[in-house]
Amino acid sequence: MAEGSMTSASPRELEERLRDTRARLEGDVDLWVATSGSPGGVHLIPLSYLWDGTAFIISTPRASVTGRNLLADSRVRLSLGPTRDVVVVEGTAEPVDIADLGPKAGDAFATRTGFDPRELDEPYQYFLIRPRRIQAWREANELQGRDLMRDGHWLG
Amino acid sequence: MAEGSMTSASPRELEERLRDTRARLEGDVDLWVATSGSPGGVHLIPLSYLWDGTAFIISTPRASVTGRNLLADSRVRLSLGPTRDVVVVEGTAEPVDIADLGPKAGDAFATRTGFDPRELDEPYQYFLIRPRRIQAWREANELQGRDLMRDGHWLG
């Protein structure tokens, strides 16, 4: 944890963290995606995403390290926000074919992220990432009470 | 990659990226640490660090997921900066005992990060992370030329 000495504000209560976290999921454009599953070990890159209210949709070249990792091991960890105002997500990634995504979600993804994998020559793979656990904290005094979702269920 | 549509600025040349990246390594306090190696799969958390000019020093509870992962598999991926101005590091983590760290590095770490693992009751493990590869980019137009270090050697 980033245990800085500059713990100025009081820790947020559950309700405020839930509100801040939902606003971030809906409002942010990019997140960090950590994967493993390949012989190369762990991988970490930023990707743009669409939050559909219950899951994250990302898209990456099928041949990329992240694409290959997620096809080999669906477990993924995401982070949003700066290091002193983080949202960390544990989830599982399900590959979704472009044909199965549907035009509405495809359009929403393109609008949100600013790129449309359906129009690219390079084969892209969409993944639907369902969160199992979501945590949010700012500084060390917010480590307690950082769980906002457990086993796929919001705590509030 | 975060392939936003807002690619406004011209791509930076190697020299400028090297300068920006070194300034970030020296100036930032926190980074994201992605590890695997445990049965639980990939892990990702923010930690404070000290950059000593050639390696990152981090410290985390020995019993934490990150601590156990790095003791089982030394391969690690770090990121610094926001998702549209990233530095991504591939490296290997070597555990360092508190006795072997030396008082000077221990003091520098405490000053930098704002916490001193030597004073804590919980057993902490320091790790020295030597970068093998460093990349830096802002938007899609900087994906080309993003390698700044390969095989442990700066390209400039």
Side-chain angles (χ1 to χ4, degrees), chain A residues 58-60 62 95-107 109 116-127:
Chain A
I58 62 167
S59 190
T60 189
R62 192 192 300 261
V96 178
D97 287 341
I98 287 185
D100 297 332
L101 185 67
K104 204 171 150 189
D107 291 350
F109 181 89
D116 192 343
R118 298 172 300 182
E119 294 174 358
L120 302 176
D121 289 333
E122 190 179 2
Y124 267 67
Q125 178 69 59
Y126 290 94
F127 291 95

Side-chain angles (χ1 to χ4, degrees), chain A residues 1-4 29-30 32 34-36 39-48 75 77 79 83-84 86 113 115 124 137, chain B residues 1-4 29-30 32 34-36 39-44 46-48 75 77 79 83-84 86 113 115 124 137:
Chain A
M1 318 295 161
E3 306 189 44
V29 177
D30 305 324
W32 286 97
T35 57
S36 60
V42 67
H43 203 66
L44 176 64
I45 56 161
L47 285 176
S48 298
R75 293 174 298 182
R77 206 159 150 112
S79 73
T83 54
R84 305 264 167 146
V86 308
T113 65
F115 83 106
Y124 267 67
W137 71 91
Chain B
M1 317 295 161
E3 306 190 45
V29 178
D30 304 325
W32 287 98
T35 57
S36 59
V42 66
H43 203 66
L44 177 64
L47 286 176
S48 298
R75 293 174 299 183
R77 204 156 152 114
S79 74
T83 55
R84 307 262 167 148
V86 307
T113 64
F115 82 108
Y124 268 65
W137 70 93

Side-chain angles (χ1 to χ4, degrees), chain B residues 3-154:
Chain B
E3 306 190 45
S5 54
M6 299 170 295
T7 303
S8 48
S10 324
R12 292 168 295 168
E13 297 297 327
L14 174 64
E15 202 172 322
E16 191 182 354
R17 295 201 209 194
L18 286 164
R19 198 167 52 236
D20 292 347
T21 299
R22 287 180 168 129
R24 184 177 290 288
L25 296 183
E26 283 161 21
D28 278 15
V29 178
D30 304 325
L31 43 65
W32 287 98
V33 182
T35 57
S36 59
S38 76
V42 66
H43 203 66
L44 177 64
I45 55 161
L47 286 176
S48 298
Y49 73 96
L50 173 70
W51 170 250
D52 74 0
T54 57
F56 303 86
I57 299 170
I58 63 168
S59 190
T60 190
R62 191 192 300 260
S64 68
V65 178
T66 297
R68 288 182 283 125
N69 276 355
L70 287 178
L71 291 170
D73 185 339
S74 64
R75 293 174 299 183
V76 60
R77 204 156 152 114
L78 312 172
S79 74
L80 300 91
T83 55
R84 307 262 167 148
D85 186 12
V86 307
V87 174
V88 176
V89 178
E90 273 178 41
T92 50
E94 177 195 333
V96 178
D97 288 340
I98 287 184
D100 297 332
L101 185 68
K104 204 172 150 189
D107 291 350
F109 181 89
T111 302
R112 185 74 192 168
T113 64
F115 82 108
D116 192 343
R118 298 172 299 184
E119 293 175 359
L120 302 175
D121 290 333
E122 191 179 1
Y124 268 65
Q125 178 69 58
Y126 290 95
F127 291 95
L128 189 70
I129 298 176
R130 292 196 177 83
R132 298 291 303 162
R133 190 181 194 190
I134 297 181
Q135 299 177 313
W137 70 93
R138 287 184 176 152
E139 307 249 354
N141 69 339
E142 283 202 358
L143 289 176
Q144 195 172 12
R146 64 186 182 275
D147 279 0
L148 303 185
M149 174 188 282
R150 289 195 201 114
D151 298 323
H153 297 288
W154 290 100

Side-chain angles (χ1 to χ4, degrees), chain A:
Chain A
M1 318 295 161
E3 306 189 44
S5 55
M6 299 170 295
T7 304
S8 48
S10 325
R12 292 168 295 166
E13 297 298 327
L14 175 64
E15 201 172 323
E16 189 182 355
R17 295 200 209 194
L18 285 165
R19 199 168 52 237
D20 291 348
T21 299
R22 287 179 167 130
R24 185 178 288 288
L25 296 184
E26 284 161 19
D28 277 16
V29 177
D30 305 324
L31 43 65
W32 286 97
V33 181
T35 57
S36 60
S38 77
V42 67
H43 203 66
L44 176 64
I45 56 161
L47 285 176
S48 298
Y49 74 97
L50 172 70
W51 170 250
D52 73 1
T54 57
F56 303 86
I57 300 171
I58 62 167
S59 190
T60 189
R62 192 192 300 261
S64 68
V65 177
T66 297
R68 287 181 284 124
N69 277 356
L70 286 179
L71 291 170
D73 185 339
S74 64
R75 293 174 298 182
V76 60
R77 206 159 150 112
L78 312 172
S79 73
L80 299 91
T83 54
R84 305 264 167 146
D85 186 11
V86 308
V87 174
V88 177
V89 178
E90 272 179 42
T92 51
E94 177 195 334
V96 178
D97 287 341
I98 287 185
D100 297 332
L101 185 67
K104 204 171 150 189
D107 291 350
F109 181 89
T111 301
R112 186 74 192 169
T113 65
F115 83 106
D116 192 343
R118 298 172 300 182
E119 294 174 358
L120 302 176
D121 289 333
E122 190 179 2
Y124 267 67
Q125 178 69 59
Y126 290 94
F127 291 95
L128 189 70
I129 298 176
R130 292 196 178 81
R132 298 290 304 163
R133 190 181 194 190
I134 297 180
Q135 299 177 312
W137 71 91
R138 286 184 176 152
E139 306 249 353
N141 68 339
E142 283 203 357
L143 289 177
Q144 195 173 11
R146 65 186 182 274
D147 279 0
L148 304 185
M149 175 188 282
R150 289 195 199 115
D151 298 324
H153 297 289
W154 290 100
L155 301 192

